[in-house]
């Protein structure tokens, strides 16, 4: 396999694993909120999720720039939106409004699942095909 092809395969494998971790953290957040976990526990999970998402989005955005990817701006807008919502949720949790977050967390799980199935899938195809 050529070095470029190897790089592309590895990039997609890494991204798949990162999506899995991101979804697991979000699922953990949903379950914690639904189980009435303490604000401290919820804060820890949201913080982990935000930190992980920031790092993951940064690597995806770097890959898009390296590939001169045509859907970069819209894709990045999605990432910005996700981080804004997660940061708002963290603030609401700290403000003692954790009870309001159950539906937001489920909505976010839906949004990110959709993002992975559409924009991230398109990017993975673009990388895999060396477009
Ligand atoms: Fe993405």
């Amino acid at each position: 396999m050529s070095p470029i092809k190897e790089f592309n395969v590895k990039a997609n494998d890494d991204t798949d694993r990162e999506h899995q971790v991101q979804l697991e953290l979000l699922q953990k957040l949903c379950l914690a909120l639904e189980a009435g976990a303490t604000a401290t526990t919820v804060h820890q999970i949201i913080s982990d999720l935000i930190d992980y998402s920031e790092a993951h989005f940064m690597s995806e955005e770097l890959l898009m720039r390296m590939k001169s990817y045509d859907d970069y701006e819209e894709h990045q807008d999605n990432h910005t939106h996700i981080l804004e919502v997660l940061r708002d949720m963290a603030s609401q949790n700290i403000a003692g409004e954790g009870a309001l977050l159950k539906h937001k967390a489920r909505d976010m799980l839906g949004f990110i699942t959709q993002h992975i199935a559409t924009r991230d899938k398109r990017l993975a195809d673009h990388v895999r095909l060396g477009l």
Side-chain angles (χ1 to χ4, degrees):
M1 201 185 288
S2 73
I4 293 290
K5 192 117 184 105
E6 262 177 49
F7 171 85
N8 290 341
V9 169
K10 185 176 176 324
N12 276 350
D13 287 352
D14 288 349
T15 304
D16 282 347
R17 259 192 303 279
E18 288 173 16
H19 287 152
Q20 207 46 50
V21 174
Q22 194 181 32
L23 288 174
E24 280 168 18
L25 279 169
L26 193 44
Q27 188 71 40
K28 188 173 162 185
L29 176 64
C30 289
L31 293 175
L33 289 166
E34 284 156 16
T38 65
T40 308
T41 300
V42 170
H43 181 73
Q44 190 56 58
I45 303 169
I46 298 184
S47 296
D48 288 349
L49 179 58
I50 290 172
D51 290 348
Y52 196 86
S53 298
E54 280 173 346
H56 165 65
F57 291 159
M58 213 181 286
S59 75
E60 243 183 44
E61 287 166 17
L62 181 64
L63 184 65
M64 286 194 276
R65 284 202 299 272
M66 279 171 54
K67 301 284 178 187
S68 305
Y69 187 56
D70 62 349
D71 187 44
Y72 178 83
E73 279 185 22
E74 288 83 354
H75 196 135
Q76 192 192 32
D77 281 350
N78 269 199
H79 292 172
T80 303
H81 169 72
I82 291 167
L83 289 173
E84 275 173 9
V85 172
L86 293 178
R87 289 187 188 119
D88 280 353
M89 288 173 67
S91 301
Q92 275 189 287
N93 178 57
I94 288 170
E97 297 165 3
L100 303 173
L101 298 180
K102 272 187 262 183
H103 295 296
K104 276 194 180 176
R106 283 281 162 201
D107 285 351
M108 185 41 70
L109 184 58
F111 187 87
I112 291 185
T113 302
Q114 181 70 10
H115 175 86
I116 291 170
T118 56
R119 292 205 190 275
D120 288 339
K121 163 90 170 60
R122 185 180 185 278
L123 174 61
D125 288 345
H126 179 90
V127 171
R128 182 168 42 82
L129 298 172
L131 295 172

